[in-house]
Amino acid sequence: MKREPVHTYFGASTPRREDPALLTGQGRFIDDMQPRDLLHAVVVRSSYAHARIRSIDTTRAAQAPGVALVISYKDFPPDLQRKRLPLLVPNPAIHHPITQRPLVKDEVCYVGDPIAIVVAQERHLAEDAAEMIAIDYEPLAVVASLADALQPEKKQAHQAYASNVVGEKLFVDGDCDAAFARAAHVVKARFDQHRGGAFFMETRGCVIVPDPGGESFTFYVSAQGAHRLKRAFIDLFDRADHQVRVVVPGDVGGGFGPKGSFYPEYASLTQAALMLKRPVKWIEDRRENFQATQQERDQIWDLELAADDNGKILGLRGQLTHDNGAYVPWGLVLPLISMTTLQGPYVIPAFSLKLLSLFTNKVPTTPVRGAGRPQAVFAMERMMDLLAQQVGLDRAEVRRRNFIQPSQLPFDCRIIGRDGTPVVYDSGDYPGTQERALEFAGYADFPQRQAAARAEGRYIGIGIASFVEATGLGPYEGATLRVATSGKITLYTGATPQGQSHHTVFAQIAADYLGVGPYDIHVVTGDTQGISQGVGTFAARSAVNAGNAVYLAAQELRRKMIDLASKLLEIDPGQVMLADGHACDAQDASRTRSYAQLAVAAMGMPGISLPPGYTPGLEQTSYFMPDQSTYSNGCHVVEAEVDVETGHVKLLRYVVVDDCGRQINPMVVHGQVVGGVVHGIGNALLEELVYDEAGQLLSANFGEYLLPLASDLPHIEVHHTETPSPRNPLGVKGAGEGGTLPAIAAIASAVEDALRPFGVQVKQVPITPMRVVEWLAAAAKR
């Protein structure tokens, strides 16, 4: 009889094994790496948003004290000169798949475009030398906004192309014209949305260690994945698999999306290290982080929503215009995610939507936590509020009338997701989630609280927003579990954490099957030498992909261990029990074999054949490859107070009900949700990358680009609804981004409700004090 494992760790709030090192100053980040003979690099960047380079003179810089090397495009070998960075996510909708060169050839396209590399004995010497490089620019017309991009006859972001269109795509289903023709209500709005950058605590950085005797190298980097970077290096430098190793240190000080990209500096710095045959380190400074790390920025949504007399949606049409920046490092991934998230938890019988993505002379845009979904949720939830107002319904009621019901799941949204598969929601209870959130927030009693506040001259409001998120995106993630001849267990995976607690939660999954505690399993992440294939940690995918890969590997390794122990103990496999690092006879605990003994037996002896039924080594590699995404969902309810004199918004209360399926570690999930909400609060109220007409970034430090402080935050109350996903063995869904998705929409709804006596509508974010004052002044003139 087969003995099933007892699940004692999955679902438990096991303390994070990552924390002791971090709390005692023992964390190991990229800048902690100090290999022998290390040199330091500085990147020389464009000070113009758009210009032609007439000449570059590096003579003085090359002769400066301590300088080992100065390189620009002309110093590259011919093969590297011909290449651009690989486009990892091509799409037929892209008109101009323009990626960057490792260093600019002759046309800079944003402030921060990398032009040259200076390598010296010390960082300050490289910075001094960089100031000596003379670059002669011919300024060109700057596409500084989406409005500029829509006038290609006047300004082009790239001189070689007459159009500023990156790509465009239509999303059509049902008879939208007929839906609008029979509608009793039509609401129309334009939403001008802005999201900023990631601005992680640890900026980007890397250390390249070349093999002095050959063409191999190891690239250490603060990133969100190692294997995709290795693929790019192999393509750019024409290397074999064994010649490139990419390692992400055990600690990464935040990623949030932009650290998942392959940047031009990675290639140019590697070329410098190969030329010098010495290790080279580059650590991005904070100004570079503002000017050169990829961002999200602007989207404009023009939407119309048709509904019947009862407020039920009949159709949705409109256009998303997206600022893609100067290049397409991730293709159209970001705006495609926005478009395929727009429907949210609602039944929309007909839709006709257009995506238009445009080049501008700004930093390229790629996903930041939420990856275009917060903008889509904002647009749809604002339309629902406008519909409620026009029909004369409560905002919660208009949502109730349009929710997809649990009985309708799985629900086909009749749209193709960015991963190329149909968007089919798998599980959830959207009406029930909203009802729980409203109940926890005291929504029914809010009108009395609001009336009492207004009697005191205070303006408070309440906002609602719901979301559905595609999580667990493919193509796969893997896990290798290996028992050494010492009996120690190591887990390798291509998933690469930046605070998601992989070392804790993956060990929890495996521990239940291997008869040990989570702290008995050493977890190695982000090393291309540890496991041959991997994708990385982003898009709320690791619990689904890597978690299930760990589950599959642990199950199979458990079977191997039990089969081997049954042969060694000469008992039926169903009699074998794994516990405390030993395989023993469940009927006679004195008959036992340690995991070390099992591993030695599985290794065999030199010159002697393995017995029949044995497999070499006590290890297992498994990959989980999802057919479709899993879909998390949730509802946020926010209370806010607006000071109508200063425009300041204070959040009074924040309630979350989240559904991420089964929770591996509830404490970790709680931290992920709260962190996501804080990120959303910053996006809603504070964060803005302000560019002038010349494409110069004006908010280029934390005095001008504001992040939320502890004093800006209310208590964030988190509750959970659990509907397991049927699309993976563990029943899990992603949790890392859900807190961010509806936050902007819920806060906007609350601010608008607070300002309802003044007739203010919130159609632009962030909701800064200056904007609030301007809205109130404009409303007073109407």
Side-chain angles (χ1 to χ4, degrees):
M1 181 179 175
K2 184 180 178 183
R3 299 183 63 85
E4 295 293 339
V6 177
H7 295 282
T8 56
Y9 298 109
F10 189 107
S13 290
T14 301
R16 278 172 32 101
R17 62 190 304 173
E18 293 88 346
D19 288 341
L22 295 173
L23 293 172
T24 57
Q26 301 302 307
R28 185 164 174 78
F29 297 87
I30 190 65
D31 200 25
D32 293 318
M33 295 198 60
Q34 300 290 335
R36 291 185 61 184
D37 299 324
L38 179 66
L39 296 168
H40 298 265
V42 166
V43 181
V44 178
R45 301 183 182 278
S46 171
S47 57
Y48 285 83
H50 197 199
R52 185 175 290 109
I53 296 177
R54 293 194 184 104
S55 65
I56 304 173
D57 186 353
T58 62
T59 306
R60 288 184 60 219
Q63 296 171 352
V67 171
L69 181 70
V70 180
I71 58 170
S72 61
Y73 172 84
K74 66 180 177 58
D75 302 304
F76 285 157
D79 279 354
L80 193 57
Q81 284 186 345
R82 286 191 291 269
K83 292 179 179 178
R84 291 179 178 267
L85 305 192
L87 174 59
L88 296 183
V89 190
N91 189 295
I94 300 174
H95 293 185
H96 304 302
I98 309 171
T99 61
Q100 289 177 265
R101 299 180 188 275
L103 288 174
V104 168
K105 181 182 180 181
D106 53 17
E107 181 185 357
V108 295
C109 293
Y110 64 93
V111 174
D113 223 348
I115 297 173
I117 301 289
V118 180
V119 185
Q121 299 294 333
E122 300 290 343
R123 170 75 180 238
H124 71 275
L125 296 175
E127 289 179 344
D128 290 345
E131 295 292 328
M132 301 176 188
I133 295 177
I135 304 173
D136 184 13
Y137 294 99
E138 177 190 338
L140 300 171
V142 175
V143 179
S145 65
L146 287 171
D148 288 345
L150 289 168
Q151 302 180 69
E153 69 281 1
K154 295 181 180 179
K155 299 178 179 180
Q156 302 87 36
H158 293 270
Q159 286 292 288
Y161 299 94
S163 169
N164 292 319
V165 175
V166 175
E168 51 192 333
K169 188 176 179 64
L170 293 174
F171 299 83
V172 179
D173 190 88
D175 191 339
C176 214
D177 289 341
F180 275 81
R182 69 175 186 273
H185 301 280
V186 173
V187 291
K188 183 177 181 179
R190 164 172 279 207
F191 302 111
D192 185 348
Q193 297 193 61
H194 179 91
R195 286 196 79 201
F199 300 114
F200 16 72
M201 285 192 293
E202 179 197 34
T203 58
R204 291 184 296 135
C206 59
V207 176
I208 306 99
V209 181
D211 175 6
E215 296 184 333
S216 302
F217 62 89
T218 301
F219 187 82
Y220 298 91
V221 60
S222 177
Q224 293 178 239
H227 292 79
R228 283 175 294 138
L229 302 188
K230 177 176 178 176
R231 172 189 161 186
F233 279 122
I234 287 173
D235 291 349
L236 283 168
F237 289 90
D238 194 27
R239 293 298 196 265
D241 180 78
H242 71 284
Q243 293 178 305
V244 180
R245 180 187 179 192
V246 178
V247 181
V248 178
D251 296 304
V252 174
F256 307 116
K259 279 190 184 175
S261 294
F262 187 96
Y263 285 85
E265 298 94 336
Y266 297 168
S268 54
L269 290 160
T270 298
Q271 179 61 39
L274 291 171
M275 292 169 72
L276 290 164
K277 297 188 182 300
R278 286 180 63 181
V280 173
K281 175 190 282 189
W282 169 69
I283 303 296
E284 178 184 61
D285 65 32
R286 187 58 72 180
R287 187 168 183 83
E288 284 181 294
N289 184 221
F290 273 92
Q291 291 187 329
T293 293
Q294 292 157 10
Q295 309 163 348
E296 275 215 7
R297 278 199 320 278
D298 299 327
Q299 288 189 353
I300 294 175
W301 292 77
D302 293 286
L303 294 176
E304 290 183 279
L305 187 67
D308 65 16
D309 274 331
N310 295 315
K312 291 205 70 172
I313 297 170
L314 300 174
L316 175 67
R317 64 188 179 195
Q319 176 172 303
L320 161 61
T321 307
H322 173 77
D323 178 352
N324 216 96
Y327 299 98
V328 289
W330 274 91
L332 291 176
V333 162
L334 179 55
L336 283 175
I337 292 174
S338 294
M339 293 298 284
T340 56
T341 302
L342 183 61
Q343 177 169 350
Y346 307 113
V347 177
I348 301 179
F351 53 83
S352 178
L353 301 162
K354 180 182 179 180
L355 161 63
L356 178 63
S357 185
L358 300 171
F359 285 114
T360 60
N361 291 122
K362 298 179 185 177
V363 180
T365 58
T366 58
V368 173
R369 191 178 200 167
R373 297 181 185 91
Q375 297 94 313
V377 173
F378 177 89
M380 192 67 211
E381 292 299 301
R382 296 274 62 223
M383 292 299 283
M384 296 303 288
D385 282 356
L386 291 172
L387 178 61
Q389 184 177 342
Q390 181 159 324
V391 179
L393 290 172
D394 180 84
R395 287 169 291 164
E397 179 58 30
V398 82
R399 287 166 168 81
R400 288 188 194 102
R401 296 185 184 189
N402 287 284
F403 275 135
I404 298 163
Q405 300 300 309
S407 61
Q408 294 176 276
L409 295 167
F411 185 84
D412 185 354
C413 295
R414 310 178 322 282
I415 198 169
I416 301 299
R418 72 94 154 167
D419 61 353
T421 64
V423 175
V424 180
Y425 297 163
D426 56 340
S427 59
D429 180 0
Y430 312 143
T433 296
Q434 177 179 276
E435 290 309 307
R436 293 189 69 212
L438 297 177
E439 181 180 348
F440 287 124
Y443 184 81
D445 300 331
F446 181 74
Q448 289 89 346
R449 298 200 298 277
Q450 187 177 52
R454 285 183 184 169
E456 298 171 357
R458 297 169 52 233
Y459 294 89
I460 67 172
I462 195 165
I464 313 166
S466 293
F467 74 96
V468 181
E469 179 192 10
T471 69
L473 304 174
Y476 57 82
E477 202 60 77
T480 294
L481 277 164
R482 182 176 298 141
V483 183
T485 51
S486 61
K488 296 186 181 301
I489 303 171
T490 304
L491 164 61
Y492 301 89
T493 178
T496 309
Q498 321 101 50
Q500 293 91 344
S501 310
H502 289 1
H503 293 253
T504 301
V505 297
F506 293 159
Q508 284 181 254
I509 295 169
D512 279 334
Y513 291 90
L514 302 182
V516 295
Y519 280 75
D520 296 319
I521 300 173
H522 183 67
V523 180
V524 177
T525 60
D527 186 345
T528 59
Q529 198 165 279
I531 185 169
S532 65
Q533 303 296 323
V535 179
T537 296
F538 59 96
R541 66 182 301 274
S542 290
V544 176
N545 285 274
N548 279 283
V550 172
Y551 161 80
L552 295 173
Q555 267 202 329
E556 183 59 21
L557 180 58
R558 174 185 174 83
R559 185 195 63 78
K560 288 182 178 181
M561 294 169 72
I562 288 174
D563 285 350
L564 180 57
S566 73
K567 292 179 174 65
L568 295 175
L569 294 171
E570 298 180 331
I571 59 176
D572 185 88
Q575 235 175 285
V576 176
M577 182 172 67
L578 302 182
D580 301 323
H582 287 74
C584 63
D585 185 342
Q587 298 178 7
D588 182 355
S590 65
R591 302 189 67 234
T592 183
R593 293 289 188 276
S594 69
Y595 287 0
Q597 290 172 309
L598 294 182
V600 169
M603 294 288 268
M605 289 182 286
I608 300 176
S609 298
L610 285 173
Y614 280 48
T615 56
L618 207 55
E619 67 176 79
Q620 174 64 32
T621 298
S622 297
Y623 288 89
F624 180 74
M625 297 171 283
D627 295 325
Q628 287 182 302
S629 297
T630 61
Y631 289 87
S632 299
N633 70 89
C635 180
H636 292 200
V637 183
V638 186
E639 279 191 40
E641 180 172 354
V642 182
D643 185 324
V644 296
E645 298 296 327
T646 66
H648 176 69
V649 176
K650 180 180 181 180
L651 302 183
L652 304 175
R653 191 174 182 196
Y654 205 113
V655 173
V656 175
V657 176
D658 191 76
D659 178 1
C660 61
R662 295 181 67 207
Q663 298 178 62
I664 303 169
N665 184 315
M667 178 188 68
V668 168
V669 171
H670 181 85
Q672 289 289 301
V673 173
V674 170
V677 170
V678 173
H679 202 146
I681 290 171
N683 290 159
L685 300 176
L686 300 169
E687 301 179 53
E688 188 166 13
L689 292 158
V690 181
Y691 285 82
D692 67 13
E693 293 180 355
Q696 297 288 337
L697 180 62
L698 303 181
S699 54
N701 58 63
F702 288 133
E704 295 155 341
Y705 183 98
L706 303 180
L707 294 173
L709 305 175
S711 56
D712 298 316
L713 307 176
H715 171 67
I716 299 167
E717 184 180 327
V718 181
H719 305 272
H720 290 278
T721 296
E722 186 174 295
T723 56
S725 173
R727 292 183 179 161
N728 62 79
L730 294 177
V732 296
K733 309 174 190 176
E737 297 182 323
T740 306
L741 267 59
I744 307 171
I747 292 167
S749 181
V751 170
E752 184 172 285
D753 186 47
L755 299 178
R756 203 171 301 281
F758 304 95
V760 169
Q761 290 187 333
V762 178
K763 297 181 179 178
Q764 185 178 11
V765 288
I767 307 167
T768 61
M770 181 177 69
R771 284 204 175 101
V772 172
V773 170
E774 289 173 350
W775 294 338
L776 287 165
K781 294 178 182 179
R782 289 198 290 267

